[in-house]
Amino acid sequence: MNDDKKCDVIRVGSRKSELALIQTKHVIQCLKEIHPKKEFEIVTMNTKGDKILDKSLPKIGEKSLFTEELELALENGSVDFVVHSLKDLPTILPVGMALGAILKREDPRDAVVMSKKFKDKTLSTLPKDSVIGTSSLRRSAQLLRNMPHLKIENIRGNLNTRLKKLNDENGPYAAIILAAAGLKRMGWEDKISQLLELEEALYAVGQGALGVECRESDWKIRSILEPLFDLEATLTCVCERSFLKTLGGGCSAPVAVSSSLKKNELTITGAVWSLDGQTLITDTSKSKLYLPNDDGEPPRKCPYQEPRLYCSVIPSYKISSISLLGAEFLGKDLAKNLIKKNALDVMSQARNEILDSK
């Protein structure tokens, strides 16, 4: 796959935030190690989610808040591929778009950043009615359930903005909850006061993973991106995305997961909460997958398998359709188990409460 031939400059779409640019540059660096003579140019833009900062994400009530402008640029050929935080990417992409790579996943857990006056505290030891900032229904529902002595308030903006609000002496926040992956990529791991373990907080679908979106028909770009696929990250994220897709969820209801791949066994836990966290529906599913052999050779693709995408992910020489199909089916099966337990009713009630509060 190593192609040192000179070619036209490859244009890479990215949001303008510091974290987005760090992530985009990381992907480009990984590609330059494989294709050292290829040239890349970053094309930045603001998305709707970057512009509307006075409302919580669920109250904005639209899909693709952080991706629509980037995908339009991809569709009209202004860029050749786009780097996303996978958790921001809808489970159904526009027609003709696909995920050409999912890179090795950073820590998917949530992290607590305490204000300076509470630097020696944890969430459980904060004083009663301490205010925690988060824009995520998933995080707020779990906090309300597990730590009812705390108060939750919405906080928006990029990482720099939210940290500035946290450290405002006249501000209300005792702590904010952020994705650990973002803080680590920014080089701010020392700001993390507490990592939330899975028994305290499940994480968002795709959290910690970077996804690279391209045009499905662009075989040249697909071949360039293909070596970036990470087996574990791809299979766990396909499973998680299949779970969310089957539920029909997004940022409009508290939905969370955790997943792992050990040897060839894929395990996923999924959960749905009411907005106040008092109702919880959860289950765990696991399945054995057909994975590459011990010598690293991927299983042969079935010659009779109809070409398709798996939650928008393109099969690659590193990850076969058989493996992706197993991951996709497991996520769908877990969602069906939750639906049998009335998860859709809980999600519908959450959406109605959000609409009523607008």
Side-chain angles (χ1 to χ4, degrees):
M1 296 301 297
N2 195 333
D3 180 9
D4 291 343
K5 186 178 178 181
K6 280 278 188 183
C7 69
D8 295 336
V9 174
I10 297 170
R11 295 155 299 173
V12 187
S14 172
R15 292 166 62 191
K16 289 185 176 180
S17 74
E18 185 178 357
L19 175 59
L21 287 170
I22 285 173
Q23 293 176 162
T24 298
K25 289 173 182 177
H26 170 69
V27 171
I28 290 172
Q29 182 57 41
C30 291
L31 286 171
K32 287 187 75 68
E33 290 175 4
I34 304 166
H35 311 285
K37 293 187 179 180
K38 292 195 181 297
E39 296 182 13
F40 299 87
E41 175 188 344
I42 298 175
V43 179
T44 61
M45 58 198 77
N46 281 322
T47 66
K48 190 174 296 182
D50 296 312
K51 297 171 187 175
I52 305 175
L53 298 175
D54 59 345
K55 294 182 181 179
S56 65
L57 296 177
K59 288 187 178 181
I60 299 173
E62 297 183 38
K63 296 180 180 179
S64 307
L65 285 174
F66 296 103
T67 61
E68 184 177 4
E69 289 80 359
L70 292 161
E71 288 175 329
L72 286 173
L74 188 58
E75 184 178 5
N76 66 31
S78 300
V79 298
D80 297 301
F81 65 82
V82 175
V83 178
H84 299 285
S85 292
L86 194 58
K87 68 182 179 65
D88 293 334
L89 200 60
T91 56
I92 300 175
L93 298 185
V95 175
M97 302 300 153
L99 280 165
I102 296 178
L103 283 73
K104 184 176 177 62
R105 197 172 196 173
E106 181 53 273
D107 189 338
R109 292 175 295 175
D110 284 333
V112 180
V113 181
M114 291 286 178
S115 67
K116 293 175 182 177
K117 59 185 175 183
F118 293 119
K119 63 180 182 179
D120 296 323
K121 298 285 188 180
T122 64
L123 289 181
S124 61
T125 60
L126 280 172
K128 189 177 186 300
D129 293 332
S130 293
V131 175
I132 310 301
T134 177
S135 60
S136 163
L137 295 179
R138 169 188 63 82
R139 290 172 179 148
S140 63
Q142 293 183 85
L143 284 171
L144 288 168
R145 182 179 180 87
N146 299 328
M147 307 208 180
H149 68 293
L150 302 176
K151 285 187 173 181
I152 313 300
E153 285 195 14
N154 182 61
I155 187 170
R156 289 288 315 283
N158 58 37
L159 286 182
N160 306 66
T161 300
R162 281 180 277 177
L163 288 168
K164 185 177 179 180
K165 290 179 180 179
L166 172 67
N167 291 317
D168 181 351
E169 292 184 359
N170 299 315
Y173 304 108
I176 57 176
I177 313 294
L178 303 167
L183 290 165
K184 291 183 178 183
R185 290 188 180 118
M186 291 283 282
W188 293 345
E189 192 166 359
D190 61 333
K191 296 183 185 296
I192 297 175
S193 306
Q194 179 184 358
L195 284 168
L196 296 181
E197 301 301 334
L198 297 181
E199 58 270 17
E200 298 173 291
L202 300 183
Y203 45 80
V205 166
Q207 185 160 303
L210 298 181
V212 185
E213 186 178 9
C214 63
R215 293 179 290 273
E216 187 181 358
S217 61
D218 193 337
W219 290 92
K220 182 178 77 171
I221 293 297
R222 284 176 54 173
S223 67
I224 290 170
L225 296 175
E226 191 172 22
L228 298 185
F229 269 115
D230 177 81
L231 179 70
E232 181 175 1
T234 301
L235 293 176
T236 53
C237 287
V238 164
C239 187
E240 294 171 16
R241 286 170 63 80
S242 177
F243 166 74
L244 186 61
K245 179 181 177 182
T246 306
L247 282 178
C251 66
S252 60
V255 178
V257 295
S258 70
S259 63
S260 64
L261 179 67
K262 295 182 179 178
K263 294 187 178 180
N264 69 331
E265 184 171 77
L266 180 58
T267 302
I268 179 171
T269 296
V272 171
W273 291 263
S274 57
L275 290 185
D276 63 7
Q278 296 312 298
T279 301
L280 167 62
I281 298 175
T282 185
D283 207 341
T284 298
S285 295
K286 58 181 65 178
S287 177
K288 302 277 183 155
L289 299 183
Y290 181 45
L291 298 182
N293 303 319
D294 291 338
D295 59 6
E297 181 182 351
R300 295 182 181 275
K301 296 179 181 178
C302 173
Y304 309 108
Q305 177 77 40
E306 182 181 351
R308 55 163 287 197
L309 303 178
Y310 299 86
C311 288
S312 302
V313 174
I314 300 171
S316 75
Y317 73 92
K318 297 176 75 175
I319 309 170
S320 73
S321 296
I322 298 172
S323 301
L324 290 166
L325 181 64
E328 185 181 62
F329 182 83
L330 182 62
K332 184 182 297 185
D333 184 62
L334 176 63
K336 289 179 177 178
N337 291 343
L338 266 63
I339 290 170
K340 290 176 184 176
K341 298 179 179 181
N342 296 319
L344 296 186
D345 292 341
V346 174
M347 294 173 66
S348 178
Q349 179 63 32
R351 292 191 188 100
N352 290 337
E353 289 179 29
I354 292 167
L355 289 173
D356 290 343
S357 67
K358 282 186 178 181

